[in-house]
Amino acid sequence: MNRKAVCWIGAIAFAAFVGGCSSNSSNTGQEQPAASSAKKTVDMSTVGSVSGTIKLDGAAPKYKAINMSADPYCVKANHGGVMPQEVVTGDGGTLANVVVYVKSGAEDYSFPTPTDSVTLDQKGCMYTPHVVALMVGQQLSVVNSDDTTHNIHPTPTDNREWNKSQPPKAPAITDTFARPEVAIPVKCNVHPWMKSYIAVMANPFYAVTDKDGKFELKNLPPGTYTIEAWQEKYGTQDQSVTIGAKEAKSGVDFTFKAGS
Amino acid sequence: MPELQPDDPIKSRSYANVILIAIFILLLCVSWSFYQEFIGLRPWRSYQSRFATSYSAYLQKQVRDRQAQEKTVESSADYQKLSAALQQAEATATPQDQQIKVQSDLVDAQRAAILHAFQEDRSRVGSLIYDYETIPNDAANRSDKQSGLKAVQEAEKKTYSIDWPEEGGKTVTKTFNYDQLNNTFNQLLDEKAQLTAKQGDIDKPVKDAQTAMAALIANKLPGLDADQLNGLLKSVRDMDVSLIQINVNPPGTQINDIGGVGLTDRCQSCHVGMEPKYVPAALTLTKADLGLQKSTDAPFTSHPDQDLFNWHPLDQFGCSPCHGGNGRALDSVELAHGRYEHWVWPLYYPENYQAGCQQCHSADAWTEHAPVLNEAKVLYRDRGCIGCHNYAGFDNQGEQLQETIREIASLEKEKADDNQQIPLLNKQGDQAPDNATAQRLYAQATNLTVSVSKIDGRVQQLDELSHSLQQEVKRVGPDLKEVRMKLNPEWIPYWLGHTWNFDPTAQMPQFRLQPDEVQAISAFIWQQGLKGPALDKQTPGDAAHGKELFNSLGCLACHSIGEGSQKIGGDIADNLSREGEKANYNYIVRWIHNPRVRTEPYCPFEHKDIGPEDYAKHNLPYVFDADHSKCPNDGHELVVQQQTIMPDFRLSWQEARDIASFLMTQKDASARYEPASFVNNAKLYDKGRTLVEHYGCAGCHEISGLEDASKIGTDLTQEGSKPIGRFDFALLYTKAQEGVLPDGQKSRAGGWYDPKGFFDAKLADPAVFDEGKYKPDPLDRLRMPKPNVTPEQINALTSFLLGSTQSTLPPSYQYAPTDQRKAIQEGWWIVTKYNCIGCHQIDIGQKTVLMGLPQYQGDNAINLPPVLTSEGARVNPEWLKGFLANPALSTTDTDRDGVRSYLKVRMPTFFLSDDEIRKLVLFFGALSSQQQPFIPEKLAPLTDTERALARGIFTSPAAPCLKCHATGNANHDKNATAPNFLLAGQRLRAPWTERWITEPATIIPGTAMPSGLFVQQNGRWVFNGALPAAAKNYAGDEANLLVRYLMELTPQEQAALAGSTPSAAKSGSSSVKK
Amino acid sequence: MFGDWHQLWVIISTPDNIPIVAMLGLVPFFTWFAFHNMLANDRLIAQLEADPELARTHHRTTYPYSSRWERELHTNPFLMRKELLAAIIITIILMVWALTLNAPLEEPANASVTMNPAKAPWYFLGLQEMLEYFDPWIAGVIVPTLIIVGLMAIPYIDANPLGNGYYTYHQRRHAVWTFLIGFEAIWLVLVCIGTFIRGPGFMWYWPTQTWDPDRVEFNVNRNLDQIFGVDGHWFSHILPASWHLDPAIVARALFGIIPMLVYGVLAALFIHWICKRTAYSRKIYSKMSILQTVTMYIFLITMLFVPVTIFLRLVFRIKYIWETPWFSI
């Protein structure tokens, strides 16, 4: 093998090496944004809000009072009986217990997990509130104000299932949910009628309507969002909303059809 | 210049003679080779022809005898009667038969006559009808249709003229048209059928008579009849001398073969008597039968135990797998029997044949048809072989226990790992990129939690098992921790030095000990014994009463008493004739009262005895027994009982004292013991310990500090297939090969340089292989002690060892049943372990120790413990569980036998582990092939009338039930000889009870229960005695009725019938309820 | 214990040993036969050389002879009949052998059991026997190689033109003696020892001495250097410590060379003396090239070394003459 050939080979090898390096570097360059998990934080100076009302179109279904005779304490606990809270309407057909939240559009933001805990009380053999919403990782604390033993049994699809019993005067049961889910049904196997929902949210832009059906999502950075309203019986509706900086958009209303 | 030779040596030389001689020799060789080919190497030919001659002679004789017998039978009265009946029947039948025959012949003739015409006409008309039908039915073809129809009608009108046979052979010519042919033909068929039926009716009596005749002959002359014998004779006469071979080749077989060829046995080529073709099972040939008693070389007898072939079909097992030998070889007896250097599986000597069974039945404790083997296995345990020599699967509760503990540990680890894993999975789930993954991970976590809980379940089971196993571990020898409480120190050295002088039937072998060794061992044992707490002082008891108890309770099933020819009783425990010389009264009292009582429990985990202080530390009461068997320190299973099989007879302290006092009187007045002050000499301690470890005393005895000593002997599981070179014949090597026995005699079997020879010599005197060896240090000598065994027992053990091989048979031949027989297999281990067979007859025909005792001869046999051959069918397994756990069937009133309180001999409490109880219950069930799990039979409740009737039977003088059966009322039961009916409800099973009260003798021959209380009347049992008129119109089965009555018998009822106060009975029943 | 004739019979009658037993008779016979012919030829040669006249008319290589005898004979029958006879006799022998002795089959091999004595097939017993006297490397590798190479070398060494195609002793004394010593006196004797003398533990059992697997034997075989007490302590002064050598070993290795050299020289002189003894051999060997001569000497020396060692071992219990860390002789 003569000297020339050696040179050639050397040259080719070097070129290949350099090429390899350069291509690598270029790749990493492209990946940069995707790879980095750094998310934007909300800039409080530009935030706006969205508000509206939830209505029920048509007559709310008629319910019979719950028969609590299974547990005498419960009967005693609330005289006159209670209604199921599946559909609760205010005057003018405003709809309560509806979870309104930003379904998409806020993925690029990171939000601190709230430190305060959301409380789900068991009073008079009913869950109060009927629907609670909290953020991923936020603490849920379940208390038992009754003189009878309850058990709290969330039956999620995406989250971990658990089932704990809580005797009267027992310390609050606390737990967190790791994955956004709307909404996790909660039941009490001792009192079959007891039912509640836990909405686990990916972002802090959510609200649960009251009897007046009003909601407001505050501190929304400008942008376009899909806002969804969830009701345990009538399912979900959503609409897309775009807000500018410091804009307070109102009248983002949802109307569920009775009987739908 | 040499003178010239006249002629050419090469040319002139003649080779004629040389070549002639050479060729002659060559021819000789050729003829020699022919001889070898046809006779020399084919000895079986001559055997076969010899067999043929002598056997056919025998058969001829048989035939003659048989014919003679048949003659005599034919001349006998009832045969005459039958034959007369037969003839008579035939006489009546024949004429009718003939008549019928005539008729049916006629019918046949007529049928034949018209058959042809009928068939032809039918087909012809058939075809026309078809044509007609297939013509389309419309205007176009109307004319054709009609013509077709016409054709058919005409065809039907067409007539045939037939010469028609009639009675009396004459024939007339008849004409038939289509319809007539049809009708006549069918009608003929009917007639024929009727005639046949009629004939059947007529012949029936004849047939019956014939069957009756056959039955008579069969029962008067069993076995092969003349014709069959003649058939055999013929087959033997023209039997061609040829090689007979069995060839089995199951896949992967290795039956004593070289190169996976499988089993090829040609044994029958000489042992022609084993060939079913010539000697069917019904025939058994002995040498005498063939007139060859004298001959030492006549291998023609048939197999002595034909039953074996039911489970070991000849065509699958052949001979050599069981008997050894070279099944292929034919050249000579020596080669065929594999009695030469290079055959690894030589034929077992006749006295060791049962070694063959052991090859596959090593998992059995008790193999039917193998008494020698069974004896050997009992010996292996009771002579303490097992103490030093491990044998796979033989009383290995110890190893099982270790195994279990190990398994628990590993499971615990697994559980811990899972418990670590679960939160990890959940965490991963929480952080999973998408819900699907999250759900999968959560699911995994959940599944893990489930499997963890399953592990918990398994561990729980294992804990129980280890509890059981800990209880099941037994030792052959007594607990030497309590030596100080039990023995006189003077006695120990004497015993060690002169074991068999003190007790010629001792289980303990005789060790070769020097006096100083004896002293050292005694000292170590003594100083190692528990120092306290002191035993309660016992007042002397009534020896006379004690003796009576001793003789009647059943002690003699295991223990023996009396010396020499006076000796009676069993051999699995020691002889008590000189108990008084060695033992301490207080200890014996405690022992008899409950032999399982330990002074202190032992913790295998901490390797120490747990004293009261340990319990106090955890402020627990100092209570330890089967129910409180956890170590207070670490919760491990304790040894809470003496590791003896001796059971608790639930005696009162007074009774215990009486028996103890009796035993203390058992001594040899002339015996003198030197003082043994040295036992307290601490200097001897270390030497003693060394010796005790060296001689493996801890294999049989429990000794402080050596509880977990491992076995010092060789593992004997596969001793039988050890290469001969591995047996150390030492200086006897040449003697063995020349067949000179150690004692200088010439060995009967010639050379004994084989495993059998080694085992025989070793068992007879283990020291023999030290002969002529220079071993100044005693510790260098062979340490195996001399076992106390008779020549027969030596032979049994040798057979056992010879059979303990690494079997070359395929697994499918190993006896490892998975069905009920498994339960039987396991059960026998327990049964033999606790010597149940010392008192109870469990295997049909098996003899118990008690049967042999003088006090149970003749009428006294009624006092024997119950026979258990049908226990599984008799009792409710649920009940049996309770009974085995607590034979008193009571927690309050325990000084009695729960079922047979009337018997002097008593079922003691063995403190069986739950596992053993489970196995035993299954065992008895399986023995009587009962289904598991047990579902009790449903019994229809009695109606009042039925109850009245049953009561009538129950109290009838023809069935004086309560005469013998106990009622629980003391003064009634004084002379009761049968169990209390109140137990029946929980205890017995209706189907068995019914069989029992109808024909007990078939279940337990010689029982006191009378047979014939009921008689079969057209398919139902009817009471065999006077009954109230009401009974007449009772259609049901009265035996069944009585059983149902007994099953729901109440104390009050029984008491009323027995005419006594029910109080006692009540207590009985209430205790039963427990 | 002697006088165990049964033992001897067992050894002799073992099918495996039959060839050697036969050899005991056959080898002497053929040796005798060979000599018988050689000497006959030599006489003829002598006569012919003495009488050229006769040589001219003479035919056939047999002695005595007659001129009236035919010059040539037909193969048939004069050769054929002999061959026929031979064929018949061989057949008889084979038949008797086949009829009387079975194939020496034994039990299935068991890896955990070695037979005692463990002997090689008879044709290797010589080598196995040699392992008793040499270290395995020499006995197992060197010697066999030398044997083969030596056999191959013979035609190239042989400078003697005479004695081709007829038996002769005088013309080939050295060849004959080399064969007799090398093959019969050494090789075959080793084979016979291995067969009849070696018993359990490959120990030495005289004929009719009972074989006893438990026999214990005490014998010390010492190296020559040990006999001479060579421990190398005096040597350690000379040996530079920097070489890190064990003076004892070095001493032994060096010491061993001496007797080897001595032997080599003696053996060479002995061979030389033989070669130069007669005028005839002097004539032959003078034809040989130096290479041929050296090769021949080397092989002959080596060959003779075997009996010497055996002798030293059996008589003086000398293990190795020359011991080095790599090989021992």
Side-chain angles (χ1 to χ4, degrees), chain B residues 818-925:
Chain B
T818 51
D819 52 6
Q820 278 196 324
R821 291 173 301 164
K822 182 176 174 55
I824 297 180
Q825 203 176 24
E826 287 177 338
W828 273 115
W829 281 104
I830 300 161
V831 169
T832 52
K833 178 179 182 182
Y834 293 101
N835 195 28
C836 308
I837 47 177
C839 297
H840 295 287
Q841 190 183 356
I842 293 174
D843 198 7
I844 297 170
Q846 160 234 331
K847 293 268 164 288
T848 71
V849 177
L850 294 187
M851 283 182 182
L853 296 179
Q855 54 263 51
Y856 295 109
Q857 300 311 316
D859 296 350
N860 299 332
I862 190 176
N863 299 330
L864 279 166
V867 174
L868 301 183
T869 43
S870 70
E871 186 68 359
R874 178 200 305 202
V875 300
N876 174 335
E878 302 302 323
W879 176 86
L880 184 56
K881 263 189 259 169
F883 178 73
L884 288 172
N886 172 7
L889 293 176
S890 159
T891 51
T892 53
D893 167 18
T894 57
D895 186 1
R896 62 166 200 163
D897 189 297
V899 179
R900 292 181 170 74
S901 37
Y902 54 86
L903 281 183
K904 294 262 187 322
V905 59
R906 176 180 294 182
M907 169 78 173
T909 310
F910 285 90
F911 301 103
L912 299 165
S913 74
D914 299 351
D915 202 41
E916 284 173 326
I917 290 180
R918 188 181 302 116
K919 282 179 178 160
L920 276 177
V921 172
L922 289 174
F923 167 73
F924 282 114

Side-chain angles (χ1 to χ4, degrees), chain B residues 297-334:
Chain B
D297 180 30
F300 302 140
T301 54
S302 55
H303 199 284
D305 191 347
Q306 293 283 349
D307 297 357
L308 287 175
F309 293 121
N310 302 341
W311 314 290
H312 309 86
L314 196 55
D315 54 356
Q316 288 173 32
F317 281 76
C319 314
S320 51
C322 302
H323 288 273
N326 182 350
R328 286 184 190 74
L330 288 165
D331 294 1
S332 74
V333 175
E334 187 201 23

Side-chain angles (χ1 to χ4, degrees), chain A residues 190-207:
Chain A
V190 187
H191 308 98
W193 63 82
M194 287 175 70
K195 208 151 185 12
S196 164
Y197 291 88
I198 301 171
V200 186
M201 298 301 177
N203 55 40
F205 312 125
Y206 58 85

Side-chain angles (χ1 to χ4, degrees), chain B residues 564-624:
Chain B
S565 57
Q566 304 304 316
K567 169 172 167 298
I568 56 168
D571 281 339
I572 82 150
D574 60 348
N575 181 315
L576 300 174
S577 317
R578 297 176 70 178
E579 189 70 3
E581 295 175 33
K582 70 176 196 186
N584 163 357
Y585 176 68
N586 297 339
Y587 186 83
I588 297 298
V589 173
R590 188 190 91 181
W591 179 266
I592 293 171
H593 181 259
N594 180 356
R596 300 298 179 90
V597 168
R598 278 181 81 97
T599 312
E600 285 186 346
Y602 171 73
C603 177
F605 184 70
E606 295 175 76
H607 303 292
K608 68 183 248 261
D609 292 321
I610 305 296
E613 65 282 4
D614 295 271
Y615 281 79
K617 259 189 265 143
H618 309 74
N619 49 43
L620 288 164
Y622 191 45
V623 181
F624 52 92

Side-chain angles (χ1 to χ4, degrees), chain A residues 14-182:
Chain A
F14 178 76
F17 175 74
V18 172
C21 298
S22 58
S23 66
N24 291 348
S25 59
S26 64
N27 291 351
T28 46
Q30 287 154 4
E31 282 162 2
Q32 220 84 44
S36 76
S37 58
K39 290 188 172 185
K40 292 183 276 176
T41 49
V42 179
D43 167 10
M44 283 320 234
S45 58
T46 64
V47 294
S49 72
V50 172
S51 63
T53 319
I54 315 293
K55 282 207 167 53
L56 179 65
D57 173 5
K62 296 269 162 292
Y63 291 100
K64 279 208 248 54
I66 300 169
N67 171 9
M68 296 191 178
S69 57
D71 184 343
Y73 167 82
C74 302
V75 180
K76 192 154 49 61
N78 31 64
H79 332 282
V82 266
M83 291 294 162
Q85 302 190 301
E86 192 177 31
V87 178
V88 179
T89 49
D91 22 2
T94 54
L95 192 52
N97 293 335
V98 179
V99 184
V100 186
Y101 64 102
V102 169
K103 187 181 183 192
S104 63
E107 290 79 3
D108 294 353
Y109 297 91
S110 70
F111 308 101
T113 311
T115 51
D116 60 333
S117 72
V118 177
T119 306
L120 177 62
D121 189 6
Q122 297 165 104
K123 202 194 234 101
C125 301
M126 294 295 280
Y127 286 111
T128 48
H130 181 60
V131 173
V132 294
L134 73 172
M135 253 186 84
V136 165
Q138 185 176 8
Q139 193 169 60
L140 171 75
S141 89
V142 187
V143 296
N144 180 3
S145 326
D146 282 342
D147 261 352
T148 180
T149 299
H150 289 296
N151 76 310
I152 303 88
H153 187 181
T155 56
T157 54
D158 299 345
N159 282 284
R160 223 177 308 135
E161 185 231 21
W162 48 272
N163 178 359
K164 295 185 187 142
S165 134
Q166 190 174 33
K169 319 262 182 316
I173 294 170
T174 64
D175 199 343
T176 63
F177 295 91
R179 314 187 64 78
E181 180 173 354
V182 181

